[in-house]
Amino acid sequence: MVEDIFRGTQSKGKIFYDEFTQFYNNYYDTRRFTLNMTYTFGNKNVKTNNKQIQLEEKSRVN
């Protein structure tokens, strides 16, 4: 992912007061580069032990 590599996050403007005018040009340095990688270790064909437990009290639960 790449974000704001061309320095596009800028804020420019003018503020008018009675006796003077203020000009501003702000740049927020938010350029970012992110690299994510995922790797799965091990065997995907691992057998699992699935047990079903019978609860006698299950029918009494409201």
Side-chain angles (χ1 to χ4, degrees):
M1 179 174 78
V2 178
E3 184 177 328
D4 198 21
I5 60 172
F6 298 115
R7 196 174 160 177
T9 307
Q10 292 185 356
S11 175
K12 298 179 182 180
K14 299 177 191 176
I15 301 174
F16 297 99
Y17 296 100
D18 290 335
E19 298 181 12
F20 65 95
T21 301
Q22 180 180 0
F23 297 92
Y24 64 90
N25 183 4
N26 294 328
Y27 167 68
Y28 304 102
D29 195 8
T30 58
R31 288 182 274 183
R32 187 181 335 195
F33 175 77
T34 305
L35 176 65
N36 293 322
M37 295 175 51
T38 303
Y39 183 77
T40 304
F41 292 97
N43 187 359
K44 291 183 180 181
N45 298 325
V46 176
K47 294 181 182 179
T48 60
N49 188 4
N50 295 328
K51 292 183 180 179
Q52 292 186 0
I53 301 171
Q54 299 292 331
L55 298 176
E56 295 175 9
E57 300 292 325
K58 187 175 180 181
S59 63
R60 294 182 54 190
V61 176
N62 292 337

